[in-house]
Amino acid sequence: MWRPAAPPAAAAAAGGQSRREDIRNVAIIAHVDHGKTTLVDAMLKQAKVFRENQAVETRIMDSNDLERERGITILSKNTAVRYKGNKINIIDTPGHADFGGEVERVLNMADGVLLLVDSVEGPMPQTRFVLRKALELNKKVVVVVNKVDRPAARSDWVVDQTFELFLDLGASDEQCDFPVVYASGIAGIAGDSPDNLADDLEPLFDVIVREVAPPVVQMDAPLQLLVTNLDYDEHKGRIAIGRVQSGTIRKGDSIVFTKPGDVKPQSGRISELFVYDNFARTAVDEVAAGDICALTGLSAVSIGETICDPADIRPLPTIEVEEPTVRMTFSVNTSPFAGQEGKYVTSRNLKDRLERELERNLALRVEPGAGAESFEVSGRGSLHLGILMENMRREGYEFEVGPPKVITKIDPQTGGRMEPMEEAVIEVPEEHVGQVVDLMGQRKAQMVDMTAGGCCSESTTRLKYEIPTRALLGIRNAMLTATKGTAVLNTNLIGYTPYVGEIQTRDNGSLVCFETGQVTTYALESVQQRGRLFVKPGEGVYEGQVIGIYQRQGDLKVNCCKKKAMTNIRAASKDATTVISEAIPVNLDYALEYVVDDELVEVTPSSVRMRKNPSKKGGKKA
């Protein structure tokens, strides 16, 4: 079995501390779609992680189906490369603020961060979010201006904007003096200026080794390892991941794991021990302080607990994450089609699955609902909860959820209600600016800035707003419709503000099915004149199901299952061709944006339907 070489001798510092000069721990943080995972691909390939003839997919680190489909990183992942005798542990983090819980905890394992910024777009709202977390933890920041080979690249402007962002976030003088590397992740090249790029990523590796400090550790101290992530293997069971803060952990060791304030620490034994090396977990006998490792044998360990030496139990401070901002009610499916498509349909199944999610999803909260078969689930945003639902339905779960609702707070000084406020940045072509301004105005958003010439072209305008999180629910579909699909919206939570009053989030009512049956072309011919449809001929529907968008306010009950009467009289229109409009495709994201207070989303492994909530009276009937 391979055994790591002993760490090189290092100059002892005060308090028995020393530096692991052979290790660098870096996290890569960026806004969504700024090329973070593609750059990691290039780093792995150039570090000779793969064989010359090995078939390697793009976006290697996006390992689950949802990440590949959506092109975003959802779960943080670890890997490592070797460069000039140094081991560089790389932590790939999500770029979306809804998965901020992942970012906040994995930054505990890193000594520095690579902040990727697009050479055209510059810093975006979620760049602000992840950078703020890194600066609060006093991590060394290396700015990487990515995609410098784009025709519209404006690298100098991007660096200036990044410097201003550092100042806005209250960075110290030392933090503001950040090193800059220019790169093209897809081409696998980097350099110290946009016009002086090497043929590979060696300049980036050099900056990481030079600028990111080696981990400062206590080699001879008792063991301390803070669990920052969990994985699962069918054969090995639960896998705990973390960085050894002090001491040495060995295979077969008896240990205890606990949190600050725990009266009775739990004990266990390390079955197997792994380090990350060349994009794989490599089994080892021991891991010294400063390195990141994975271990098995502790079936009850959870994120935030410290693995300690039984002779000296000193838990590290547990991981703190920001509070959730959005709540939804998960409950057992009660529609007429309940139990027909799902494998796990009971409240016990639902409760067990949500409790398992709590073990690794620190930003999630689960509380008992109003009834025995419902649960109040809180998260960082509708995308955060939507990804959980999508994973559950793919695993065979069937359930129903209510519309997203914002979590408010009480101001301790005034006793007034406070609600979360977000910064929204919108890139939109000039011809659609008016529609965006009208839409944001209806939702009580305050414009902060308006700049001509956005990231895509001179004809693009960048609008910056402060808007209540409540007003963002359902806004993406409305904005795409108003701008013919051309607007790009990015948001970031900035704090809490006094409640701004009622906000109208949907102008149209719903077309509601009148009876249970099968949709017919004959019925849709007249129903489609009342609005846009979600259903097609031949689909099964039930009474109370939302089958379309009514063109007016209030709801309208319609019969979409009506069949043409069979008579022996030849109709004059017998040979006329019936034209049915294209149905709006309803996926989970669309449904969560569409539904309002008196509606539910029915989620099954094969279908996403919307229905009126039978426990609430619907809107005005036509």
Side-chain angles (χ1 to χ4, degrees), residues 23 25 78 87 89 109 223-230 239-245 248-250 270 272-277 281-282 284 286-296 307:
I23 288 181
N25 297 315
N78 297 65
K87 179 183 179 183
N89 284 310
M109 293 192 285
L223 170 66
Q224 284 182 310
L225 184 153
L226 182 66
V227 178
T228 53
N229 209 349
L230 291 176
I239 301 173
I241 301 167
R243 171 175 155 180
V244 184
Q245 302 289 351
T248 302
I249 188 168
R250 297 177 179 85
I270 307 300
E272 292 182 272
L273 195 58
F274 305 89
V275 293
Y276 292 90
D277 207 19
R281 287 196 189 114
T282 305
V284 294
E286 67 177 48
V287 179
D291 207 351
I292 294 171
C293 68
L295 53 95
T296 64
I307 296 175

Side-chain angles (χ1 to χ4, degrees), residues 175-190:
Q175 289 172 328
C176 287
D177 187 21
F178 51 80
V180 181
V181 180
Y182 301 87
S184 169
I186 198 164
I189 55 177

Side-chain angles (χ1 to χ4, degrees), residues 99-237:
F99 308 112
E102 293 276 320
V103 178
E104 289 170 80
R105 69 167 188 252
V106 300
L107 285 178
N108 285 278
M109 293 192 285
D111 296 299
V113 297
L114 300 186
L115 175 68
L116 246 71
V117 187
D118 189 287
S119 65
V120 178
E121 295 182 357
M124 297 294 280
Q126 285 148 35
T127 310
R128 171 184 289 270
F129 167 78
V130 289
L131 178 59
R132 175 165 57 86
K133 292 297 173 189
L135 294 176
E136 286 173 358
L137 294 169
N138 200 29
K139 305 296 182 185
K140 177 68 176 181
V141 180
V142 176
V143 174
V144 181
V145 181
N146 195 26
K147 305 184 185 181
V148 293
D149 50 352
R150 290 179 66 178
R154 43 181 181 175
S155 303
D156 292 342
W157 177 86
V158 167
V159 173
D160 290 342
Q161 293 296 309
T162 305
F163 180 73
E164 289 186 16
L165 178 57
F166 272 70
L167 294 177
D168 289 346
L169 294 175
S172 65
D173 292 345
E174 184 182 356
Q175 289 172 328
C176 287
D177 187 21
F178 51 80
V180 181
V181 180
Y182 301 87
S184 169
I186 198 164
I189 55 177
D192 56 5
S193 77
D195 304 321
N196 184 29
L197 300 179
D199 296 331
D200 53 24
L201 291 174
E202 187 166 327
L204 176 60
F205 286 119
D206 285 337
V207 169
I208 292 172
V209 173
R210 184 177 69 247
E211 297 289 345
V212 176
V216 177
V217 298
Q218 291 180 291
M219 289 290 185
D220 300 327
L223 170 66
Q224 284 182 310
L225 184 153
L226 182 66
V227 178
T228 53
N229 209 349
L230 291 176
D231 203 349
Y232 184 81
D233 184 274
E234 289 184 5
H235 306 290
K236 297 181 174 65

